[in-house]
Amino acid sequence: MKVLLVNGSPHKEGCTYTALKEVEKELINSGVETEMIWLGVKPVSGCLGCAQCIRRGPNGEPATLRCFMNDPVNEFLDKAEKADGFVFGSPVHYAAISGALSSFMDRAFYGKGKIFRYKPAAGIVSCRRGGSTAAFDQVNKYFTISSMPVVSSKYWNMVHGNTPEEVLQDIEGMQNMRFVARNLAWFLKCKQAGENAGIKELKR
């Protein structure tokens, strides 16, 4: 079992990373393999709606499900096909997720349901003070339109702080990161047990 954790912050090891790292640590403790992906600081273009990624070839070949813009989105999709679960993390910018992560997720999810279908996912957000619930809701919408089980915690998946040190002092927030990791690991093991027992995915 493998989970991809996506850091949508322009700061490689900032507040969002600190929260994701706590999730990652708990997943590893639960026996789940992980990989952290940072989007970096280069601009990520939004989806142009050209449908090139979902268009069949001239002879009816299956769609590539890859964007014509060869950037971190395609690199992520290559790994996402083999991954079992996901955690997307973002700082809160004006009560929303970062522009980079929004553009990234628009393109990663557009028309690619079969890559994500029935794979559990969790969104986490990091903020100084407010806007966290709106950003959290925004991340979850990508999952609920893609037939993905949404993994929750004992509270909304968020941490507060203006620096990584302050995030570490958010005792409840860090506890929630551990809870969501345990719930994700539990769900993955339940899904695997079901598959081993012969329970198959629903046909679309």
Side-chain angles (χ1 to χ4, degrees), residues 30-137:
S30 300
V32 178
E33 183 184 352
T34 66
E35 181 177 350
M36 184 91 71
I37 298 171
W38 178 50
L39 299 189
V41 294
K42 293 182 179 179
V44 179
S45 174
C47 182
L48 303 181
C50 67
Q52 185 65 36
C53 60
I54 59 174
R55 189 171 292 130
R56 287 184 171 272
N59 298 314
E61 301 94 339
T64 64
L65 300 183
R66 298 297 184 272
C67 186
F68 76 91
M69 292 180 275
N70 197 20
D71 63 6
V73 173
N74 285 342
E75 295 173 18
F76 166 77
L77 289 171
D78 289 340
K79 297 175 180 180
E81 284 192 306
K82 300 175 183 177
D84 301 293
F86 306 90
V87 181
F88 292 87
S90 178
V92 175
H93 293 169
Y94 295 96
I97 61 176
S98 69
L101 186 62
S102 179
S103 294
F104 177 89
M105 294 184 78
D106 281 356
R107 287 170 52 210
F109 279 81
Y110 177 75
K112 304 178 183 68
K114 71 179 185 179
I115 291 178
F116 298 103
R117 190 174 299 133
Y118 305 132
K119 294 181 180 181
I124 68 160
V125 295
S126 167
C127 70
R128 184 185 70 86
R129 188 179 294 272
S132 52
T133 54
F136 180 55
D137 180 59

Side-chain angles (χ1 to χ4, degrees), residues 130-157:
S132 52
T133 54
F136 180 55
D137 180 59
Q138 183 183 356
V139 177
N140 287 331
K141 282 185 166 66
Y142 291 93
F143 312 148
T144 56
I145 203 171
S146 305
S147 297
M148 301 173 76
V150 180
V151 179
S152 60
S153 183
K154 297 178 74 174
Y155 191 72
W156 295 304
N157 307 338

